[in-house]
Amino acid sequence: MIFSFLRDNARWVAGGFLLTFFSSFGQTYFISLSAGEIRAEYGLSHGGFGTLYMLATLASAATLPQIGKIVDRISVASTVLLSAPVLAIACLLMAWSTSLVLLVLSVYLLRLFGQGMFTHIAMTAMGRWFAAQRGRAISLTAIGVNFGEALFPISFVGVAALVGWRGSWLVAAGVLLLIALPAIYSLLKKERTPQSVVQDPNRPAVRDWTRGEVIRDPLFWAALTGVMAPAFIGTTIFFHQVYLSELRGWPPSVFAASFAIMSSMTILFALVAGQLVDRFTATRLLPIFLVPLSLSCFVLASTEAPWGAYLFMAFMGISYGFSSTLFGALWPELYGAKHLGGIRSLIVAFMVFGTAMGPGVTGALIDIGVPYPTQITAMGLYCVMISVVLIQVSRKALKRQAAVA
């Protein structure tokens, strides 16, 4: 069935996949490949570059809700035409800048248009263009990030060995302008029919909420407490992975090898979640996606043997896979598709804010003597508590959908 779906919708799914794939240029893991050289050339300490990066990321999170609304006003292809060149300019600034001001501007634009807009455009388009098969479309789009994680780091290292780290950013700008932009534009310039709001006759009707109405909806804020958890917890633990390895006495290779497990599980369960969302709806699946994340935290907090890292990554991958698909499908189910761009940009901004604050908050707690394993246990308990909250969110949302129908 997935093959017939791909045959009929290949261009749109491929366009969404490429958007999340090339969002890698603004993701933390890609930017951090140059962290050592950046600190050396600009005379920054670890803390100095971390603070700079946090502030630039927070600024991008504050900007995204305003820029993200553009997806509701112009076509997806036109939004790509505007966003891709700015992301390429950010890469050029990273390659050419010699001042801290330009470095901050570069990181800000990379985060805003890479992690922010490219992912936002992809998920908004899939949420708007698909209804009955929305889960499949979003899951196939979301795994572009994971393919980027698998391919770009080794590619960057290889290119940097030939032309230096600044030269690698020049290559990234060229790839965006010469490959990514024309490919994505050609795939998405023809919008899927229907072009705006779609209705699935087998599901309850959903009225189109404005962003102002969504902000005043208590269910939105309750759901957001769960939505932010994977990004906050994952970024925090990965940021402090060296410290945790030192606590456990693990060699650096333990965490490095375990990332392959997480990526594999994320891709697998993103596709599984796509099938489940199409069958049961994202609203019904909402209460379960944090359960694997809570287990991952409990395993990592309590296990000193190296296998704990591998099991942690396996459970983390399951939760990441579910969340990457679920979050794309949930919001159009709850609030309709007409204003989806503005609504999603607000949500993504909160998630980016969480990824910026997590490492700093936990680092401060470590500095004042709060044991890191204790903090990880608290993250697991938070997931359990919020899962109970999400049961109520799911029930109330389903009742509201039934009332509309």
Side-chain angles (χ1 to χ4, degrees), residues 13 156-157 264 319 347:
V13 172
F156 185 92
V157 171
S264 300
S319 194
I347 295 159

Side-chain angles (χ1 to χ4, degrees), residues 141-181:
T141 294
I143 61 177
V145 175
N146 306 108
F147 278 83
E149 289 173 342
L151 295 176
F152 279 122
I154 189 66
S155 301
F156 185 92
V157 171
V159 173
L162 296 175
V163 298
W165 74 274
R166 289 183 180 273
S168 296
W169 282 100
L170 287 176
V171 171
V175 167
L176 280 167
L177 293 176
L178 301 177
I179 298 176
L181 176 56

Side-chain angles (χ1 to χ4, degrees), residues 7 23 80 103 120 128 134 150 198 204 214 298 325 333 352:
R7 181 194 63 223
S23 75
V80 172
L103 176 63
H120 172 58
R128 180 175 294 152
R134 182 181 288 143
V198 294
V214 169
F298 294 144
T325 299
E333 283 186 17
V352 173

